[in-house]
Amino acid sequence: GGVTLAPSASGVLTARWTRPRDTGDATSVWVLSRYEVEVGNLTGPPPSISALTGTTTFYALPISPAGDRLTARTRAVNAAGASEWSPMVEGRVLVVPGAPFGLGVTRRHRALTVVFELPGQTGYG
């Protein structure tokens, strides 16, 4: 099935996919020996391929800096060979933002106003 790519922790994207309906014998009961996941960084080194067991349907991509744009695609493999690659998907790495600072409170006419400075790291790079 198609691949999705979404943040799952600070600095981590996770690729998820569904098991193919036809695993090799016109049914879904043929044993898949593995999935292959190709991961790339649009601003980094060439893509790499990881092999996962045929029962796994997710893969946490290696931790990357905030703002990096990663790509992923997958294919199923059985004893007869490998399927075509799924369409490539792209995701942007997020990290936990920094804390706001410079907190202040002012009182004016029965109202309190809280002011603060935005954090230096917003989590998006």
Side-chain angles (χ1 to χ4, degrees), residues 10-96:
S10 185
V12 177
L13 291 175
T14 296
R16 296 186 184 281
W17 58 91
T18 55
R19 180 180 170 85
R21 288 188 183 162
D22 180 355
T23 58
D25 66 346
T27 72
S28 62
V29 296
W30 190 264
V31 177
L32 292 175
S33 54
R34 68 181 183 276
Y35 288 103
E36 293 178 345
V37 180
E38 181 187 81
V39 175
N41 185 325
L42 293 177
T43 59
S48 63
I49 297 175
S50 295
L52 308 169
T53 66
T55 58
T56 301
T57 56
F58 68 93
Y59 177 69
L61 282 62
I63 294 176
S64 297
D68 273 11
R69 293 172 40 210
L70 304 181
T71 61
R73 63 184 183 162
T74 189
R75 64 182 177 183
V77 180
N78 67 15
S83 70
E84 296 293 321
W85 286 103
S86 68
M88 187 163 302
V89 294
E90 180 183 320
R92 186 171 290 246
V93 176
L94 301 176
V95 296
V96 175

